[in-house]
């Protein structure tokens, strides 16, 4: 895994190639759904809107990660192999324009309620939440504030729950999760060593020291174990009845961080710190005073994101 940390990734990297292929498979599927829905007459209008919104959300979701990992990438919005087989790379701005268009449209089509009893299919809030992140990264501060505020003010995902409950199946802060039949995530399992053995992916000591004294997140989400005279830290993961975990894709805490960062860029440190302090209070940490300048406010937000 150090090849990723050290930015020494080879063109032959197998996991990266797999990610590229799988993302484009999902994009192909989304395009096929959208083309099929355009000519379908066997579905109710409500079902057509739901499936179209979900397909547009998934296409935007995949392109978000493609453009962030690779930059210019082929922009494929058709299943026509004559157009896609030799498609050239498309500029980042054009890819982002497609992402924003898809998410805007999906947010209009999708329902605010979840289609099943679980948060594993995109709702309107998932589209708006991802769009808030995109607008933040594009430097559109006012849009990022307006979008994240919609999600926060919906009341669907607040008030914040204790750190122990954050990553559980269908937890209140979850905006979108990926279902796992095992009841624990593969990422959590990766960090978790078997008794008496080492971890391939231990948290660094620098990371562990970055938690402030008394941070409930460190107590809830990590646990030390000793191997070969060294202390490693493992991620919390569970599969007990009532404690099942799904993979968290979007959650409300990020929306507070998005809004705080956008506020800070607009030199509104008071509101930026107010959002930051909501997260700090939940973690059992003291609030930060409102005397902080913009240049010292942004590192505080970065630290909370970490």
């Amino acid at each position: 895994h150090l090849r990723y940390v050290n930015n020494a990734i080879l063109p032959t990297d197998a996991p990266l190639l797999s990610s590229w292929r799988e993302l484009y498979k999902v994009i192909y599927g989304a395009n096929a759904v959208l083309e099929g829905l355009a000519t379908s007459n066997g579905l109710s209008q409500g079902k057509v809107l739901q499936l179209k919104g979900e397909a547009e959300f998934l296409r935007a979701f995949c392109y978000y990660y493609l453009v962030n990992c690779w930059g210019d990438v082929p922009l494929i919005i058709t299943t026509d192999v004559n157009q896609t087989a030799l498609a050239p790379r498309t500029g980042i701005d054009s890819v982002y324009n497609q992402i924003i268009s898809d998410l805007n449209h999906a947010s209009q089509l999708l329902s605010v309620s979840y289609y099943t009893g679980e948060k594993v299919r995109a709702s309107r809030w998932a589209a708006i939440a991802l769009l808030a992140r995109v607008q933040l990264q594009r430097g559109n501060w006012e849009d990022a504030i307006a979008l994240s505020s919609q999600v926060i003010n919906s009341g669907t995902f607040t008030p914040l729950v204790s750190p122990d409950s954050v990553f559980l199946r269908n937890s209140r802060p979850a905006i979108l999760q990926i279902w796992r039949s095992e009841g624990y995530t593969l990422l959590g399992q990766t960090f978790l060593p078997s008794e008496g053995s080492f971890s391939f992916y231990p948290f660094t000591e620098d990371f562990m020291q970055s938690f402030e004294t008394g941070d409930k997140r460190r107590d809830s989400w990590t646990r030390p174990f000793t191997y070969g005279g060294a202390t490693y830290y493992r991620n919390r993961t569970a599969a007990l009845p009532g404690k099942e975990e799904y993979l968290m894709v979007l959650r409300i805490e990020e929306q507070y961080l998005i809004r705080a960062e956008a506020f800070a860029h607009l030199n509104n440190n008071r509101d930026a710190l107010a959002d930051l302090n909501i997260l700090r209070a939940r973690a059992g940490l003291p609030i930060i005073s409102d005397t902080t300048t913009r240049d010292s406010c942004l590192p505080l937000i970065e630290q909370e994101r970490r």
Side-chain angles (χ1 to χ4, degrees):
H1 70 287
L2 289 177
R3 61 187 181 278
Y4 303 114
V5 176
N6 296 329
N7 196 26
I9 306 169
L10 297 174
T12 54
D13 188 85
L16 229 56
L17 176 59
S18 175
S19 297
W20 173 276
R21 285 175 172 168
E22 293 303 318
L23 287 166
Y24 272 108
K25 283 181 185 177
V26 174
I27 289 168
Y28 179 90
N31 288 333
V33 167
L34 291 169
E35 290 172 6
L37 290 171
T39 58
S40 171
N41 54 17
L43 296 171
S44 69
Q45 183 64 14
K47 182 59 71 173
V48 168
L49 295 179
Q50 174 199 338
L51 295 177
K52 190 172 183 179
E54 289 178 332
E56 289 177 330
F57 173 85
L58 284 172
R59 183 167 67 184
F61 181 85
C62 291
Y63 271 118
Y64 171 81
Y65 283 99
L66 281 165
V67 79
N68 272 273
C69 291
W70 281 277
D72 297 350
V73 294
L75 182 58
I76 309 295
I77 55 174
T78 176
T79 61
D80 183 355
V81 69
N82 293 315
Q83 296 185 45
T84 63
L86 298 174
R89 297 171 76 185
T90 303
I92 288 174
D93 288 343
S94 295
V95 177
Y96 266 117
N97 287 340
Q98 183 66 49
I99 292 169
I100 291 169
S101 174
D102 277 346
L103 291 175
N104 269 323
H105 199 216
S107 70
Q108 297 166 22
L109 299 177
L110 293 168
S111 169
V112 295
S113 58
Y114 289 90
Y115 297 105
T116 68
E118 303 197 297
K119 299 178 175 182
V120 295
R121 294 178 69 158
S123 68
R124 180 176 302 168
W125 301 125
I128 295 174
L130 184 56
L131 186 55
R133 184 196 295 174
V134 169
Q135 295 292 23
L136 178 77
Q137 291 181 207
R138 300 299 284 164
N140 299 324
W141 316 127
E142 291 89 352
D143 288 341
I145 290 168
L147 292 161
S148 56
S149 293
Q150 282 187 55
V151 185
I152 293 167
N153 295 339
S154 73
T156 304
F157 312 101
T158 56
L160 300 184
V161 300
S162 70
D164 283 339
S165 304
V166 168
F167 297 104
L168 298 182
R169 162 192 179 190
N170 301 319
S171 66
R172 188 191 303 146
I175 300 171
L176 182 65
Q177 297 178 308
I178 293 178
W179 175 81
R180 290 284 301 166
S181 60
E182 292 84 354
Y184 57 85
T185 67
L186 289 178
L187 287 174
Q189 184 188 34
T190 300
F191 282 95
L192 185 67
S194 57
E195 292 303 324
S197 70
F198 65 95
S199 171
F200 284 102
Y201 299 97
F203 295 143
T204 64
E205 191 59 32
D206 174 69
F207 173 67
M208 296 307 301
Q209 292 298 328
S210 71
F211 286 99
E212 294 175 46
T213 301
D215 194 323
K216 294 178 181 178
R217 293 168 296 192
R218 172 171 173 153
D219 296 338
S220 295
W221 300 345
T222 72
R223 193 169 302 156
F225 77 101
T226 302
Y227 175 78
T231 299
Y232 297 84
Y233 291 84
R234 68 187 191 184
N235 195 35
R236 165 187 169 274
T237 188
L240 302 173
K243 295 287 186 180
E244 300 92 346
E245 294 178 341
Y246 286 172
L247 180 63
M248 190 73 81
V249 181
L250 295 164
R251 61 185 174 105
I252 195 63
E253 289 87 346
E254 185 198 4
Q255 298 300 303
Y256 283 103
L257 290 166
I258 287 170
R259 193 167 69 174
E261 187 172 340
F263 276 139
H265 279 289
L266 294 173
N267 294 306
N268 183 349
N269 298 319
R270 185 192 67 180
D271 287 340
L273 289 177
D275 279 340
L276 208 58
N277 283 327
I278 288 172
L279 301 180
R280 290 180 60 82
R282 192 273 301 272
L285 299 176
I287 66 169
I288 301 170
S289 72
D290 60 3
T291 58
T292 310
T293 64
R294 171 187 173 277
D295 288 341
S296 58
C297 190
L298 287 170
L300 292 172
I301 296 168
E302 182 180 7
Q303 167 67 4
E304 285 303 312
R305 273 193 176 274
R306 189 185 191 194

